């Protein structure tokens, strides 16, 4: 097929998809059709318009940013534009994600638990399974925020990482019903998978792959977001928009121009132990963490900074300089979007919901950091010894952060540091370090309150919070498809009352073996040591070993109370079992099951 024919076919597929969406929106005819005009009664469906003065809505979701990274929450990486948003709204310090990217995004977009909407794992072929909670396909009865707002008179745009389109559907042949444009977004520009190169992204616009131009992905998506907004406002100045801004940053590969990373030269030379102490003190000063919080010990997988050689310290500090530059650059691009809204007099009437991370800092760089070698359990690269790893990375140190650093990721010591004050890291659903992320809500025209909120929250709460602030009730159906109940709890009550009791009182967590159940400050959890990265493959989890924490008294999970309160642990374990059954979580699939090939998708399955 020649190029012109291919383009024509792609355009036809896109048109047919739009026609299908329009037909799905049409209501049954409610007029009267007689033999003549005089015997007939005309009927026109009511034009959908948002209420006068409805605010624009901007959701910002960053990737792989630990609780203690951004300066907006006491971290050691400068994010001045996020700091400004915190000063213009409220910030939540007890907000949680699922612990890994795809489940967080599925829960965010639908307001329902990830296993309830079939994304307990991923939408990737190798990380999904043929069970209701695990097939990676969000059902139509679990409508997205974009679908809801589209049908209330909003335009909806998404840029950056989507992450919940099944691999089998992610070609230019579709089907497109699980692409962003099939889930309520008028336009999409970004990538469909979990990760991509920042200079050579697997780039999609609307319903076709497009060729990147060599600029950084964060610049491209910001330009496109501004373009979508300007085009819409030119055609319909009073029509509000919803923008889902989800950069690939700061997921690996950590790639950013040297002008950003070089700003941090020497900043991290004192290492991750000093960073943790410094950030912990700042978080306490700002009131970001409770006064009774105690910094956990360094993880046994992380070496003391003082024990490292001079060459190792130089190498590992450079990894963190690049990561910090990457996050600061991301903040700059967010600032470009904010500045444009200010310049066009739209900022004051825009509701911002900013989630600084879809999970905790990532351990994917292993103990030594990574530049251009795949170090995951699925890697085909030859494993290196400790000595070989350090020597290899030192030989390529000048590539860290560049387009050639195709796997670039910092060592796990920095993952723990950027998760300060919590334990563990991304994919550990059992730990606050894997699941606790900062949240900012700001709306200059609509939210006058300021300060810190400590109410318990979860990513499923963002959709109902947004609808509550907009005065919109969750629909019983979307384009004739009956909808399942929203499972999240609106946080709007806490904006005006900082002392209000938490209304989200119960939450379960599960990521490929690691799990937790939270209820009213108590948390029972189970580690899964044979994780996606880092730990030896021959370590087997003991399903009988559970831990119990009282987060009200021990917010950083240092004191295991399982032996002291066995009845409470038994109660919470039974509660986890109930929640798992109620939300499609069973069977509990582990990283080991996936790694050993125990789940598979037959050829042709969809």
């Amino acid at each position: 097929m020649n190029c012109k024919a291919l383009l024509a076919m792609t355009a036809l597929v896109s048109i047919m998809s739009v026609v299908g969406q329009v037909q799905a929106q049409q209501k049954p005819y409610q007029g009267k059709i007689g033999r003549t005009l005089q015997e007939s009664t005309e009927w026109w469906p009511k034009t959908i318009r948002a209420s006068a003065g409805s605010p624009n809505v901007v959701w910002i979701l960053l990737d792989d940013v630990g609780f203690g990274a951004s300066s907006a929450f006491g971290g050691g990486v400068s994010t001045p534009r996020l700091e400004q948003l915190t000063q213009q709204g409220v910030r939540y310090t007890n907000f949680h994600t699922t612990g890994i990217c795809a489940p967080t995004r599925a829960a965010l977009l639908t307001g329902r638990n990830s296993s309830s909407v079939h994304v307990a794992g991923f939408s990737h072929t190798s990380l999904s399974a043929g069970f209701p909670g695990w097939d990676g396909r969000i059902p139509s009865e679990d409508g997205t925020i974009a679908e809801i707002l589209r049908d209330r008179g909003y335009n909806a745009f998404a840029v950056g990482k989507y992450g919940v389109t099944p691999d089998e559907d992610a070609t230019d042949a579709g089907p497109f019903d699980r692409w962003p444009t099939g889930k309520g977004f008028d336009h999409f520009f970004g990538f469909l998978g979990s990760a991509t190169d920042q200079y050579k992204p697997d780039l999609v616009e609307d319903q076709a792959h497009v060729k990147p131009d060599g600029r950084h992905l964060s610049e491209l998506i910001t330009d496109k977001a501004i373009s979508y907004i300007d085009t819409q406002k030119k055609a319909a100045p009073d029509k509000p928009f919803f923008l889902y801004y989800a950069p690939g940053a700061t997921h690996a590969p950590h790639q950013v121009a040297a002008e950003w990373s070089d700003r941090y030269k020497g900043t991290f030379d004192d290492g991750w132990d000093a960073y943790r102490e410094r950030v912990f003190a700042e978080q306490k000063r700002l009131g970001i963490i409770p006064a009774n919080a105690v910094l956990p010990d360094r993880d046994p997988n992380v070496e003391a900074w003082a024990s490292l050689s001079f060459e190792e310290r130089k190498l590992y500090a450079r990894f963190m300089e690049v990561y910090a530059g990457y996050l600061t650059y991301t903040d700059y691009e967010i600032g470009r979007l904010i500045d444009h809204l200010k310049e066009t007099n739209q900022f004051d009437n825009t509701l911002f919901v900013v989630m600084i991370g879809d999970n905790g800092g990532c351990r994917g760089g292993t103990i030594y950091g990574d530049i251009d070698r795949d170090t995951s359990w699925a890697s085909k690269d030859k494993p290196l010894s400790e000595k070989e790893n350090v020597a290899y990375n030192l030989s390529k140190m000048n590539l860290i952060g560049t387009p050639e650093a195709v796997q670039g990721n910092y060592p796990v010591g920095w993952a723990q540091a950027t998760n300060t004050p919590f334990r563990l890291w991304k994919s550990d659903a059992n730990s606050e370090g894997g699941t606790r992320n900062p949240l900012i809500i700001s709306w200059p025209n609509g939210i006058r309150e300021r300060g810190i909120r400590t109410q318990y929250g979860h990513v499923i709460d963002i959709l109902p919070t947004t609808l509550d602030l907009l005065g919109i009730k969750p629909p019983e159906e979307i384009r004739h498809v009956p909808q399942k109940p929203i499972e999240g709890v609106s946080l709007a009550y806490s904006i005006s009352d900082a002392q209000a009791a938490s209304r989200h009182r119960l939450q379960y967590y599960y990521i490929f073996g690691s799990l937790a159940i939270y209820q009213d400050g108590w948390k029972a959890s189970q580690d899964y040591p044979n994780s996606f990265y880092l730990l030896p493959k021959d370590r087997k989890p003991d399903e009988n070993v559970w831990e119990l924490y009282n987060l009200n008294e021990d917010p950083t999970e240092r004191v295991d109370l399982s032996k002291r309160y066995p009845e409470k642990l038994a109660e919470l374990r039974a509660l986890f079992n109930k929640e798992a059954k109620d939300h499609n979580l069973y069977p509990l699939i582990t990283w080991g099951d996936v790694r050993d090939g125990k789940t598979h998708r037959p050829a042709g399955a969809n």
Side-chain angles (χ1 to χ4, degrees), residues 582-602:
D582 290 348
H583 295 94
N584 291 335
L585 185 57
Y586 287 144
L588 299 181
I589 297 171
T590 69
W591 285 122
D593 294 331
V594 174
R595 187 199 68 220
D596 297 339
K598 293 179 181 177
T599 63
H600 68 285
R601 184 184 302 280

Side-chain angles (χ1 to χ4, degrees), residues 189-190 196-205 209-224 329 333 336 403:
F189 182 82
T196 196
D197 191 289
Q198 296 297 294
Y199 291 102
K200 300 181 287 292
D202 184 21
L203 197 58
V204 163
E205 182 158 19
H209 283 78
V210 295
K211 186 177 180 180
D213 63 10
R215 290 183 294 154
H216 198 283
L217 178 62
S218 295
E219 179 182 359
L220 294 178
I221 67 167
T222 305
D223 284 351
K224 188 62 69 170
Y329 171 62
E333 289 295 339
R336 282 213 299 131

